[in-house]
Amino acid sequence: MIASISLSGISQPPVPSVPLSAIVPYPSKPGRFAVMVAQEHAGKWTASLREVQLGATHESSIAVVGVQPGEKVIAVGAQLSTDGERIEVIP
């Protein structure tokens, strides 16, 4: 049997997604989550903790609210990074 459905309602804008490995627990807020965003200041990169709201998962990625498209999110070693730590970005 083949069926087709259509869902109507309020459409929501697309939300960026990140690898599941980028999600870390927010240290001072139990039950909340964050990502480490790589930020450049005067040619030097640092890790910056950013609280996010989790959305739907798809395979090994998860939608997040709180990150803008194009921002660099630390996916490898995010659990070991600390807020304000100097990092090296490998293109």
Side-chain angles (χ1 to χ4, degrees), residues 17-44:
S17 64
V18 299
L20 285 169
S21 62
I23 304 298
V24 298
Y26 197 91
S28 61
K29 298 180 181 178
R32 303 299 268 292
F33 297 95
V35 295
M36 299 300 277
V37 177
Q39 295 187 320
E40 184 181 20
H41 300 285
K44 297 179 182 173

Side-chain angles (χ1 to χ4, degrees), residues 18-37 47-54 62-65 67 73-83 85:
V18 299
L20 285 169
S21 62
I23 304 298
V24 298
Y26 197 91
S28 61
K29 298 180 181 178
R32 303 299 268 292
F33 297 95
V35 295
M36 299 300 277
V37 177
S48 178
L49 185 68
R50 172 101 46 91
E51 186 175 1
V52 294
Q53 294 175 353
L54 304 181
I62 187 165
V64 293
V65 174
V67 175
V73 174
I74 299 171
V76 177
Q79 297 279 342
L80 304 174
S81 300
T82 57
D83 192 30
E85 176 181 17

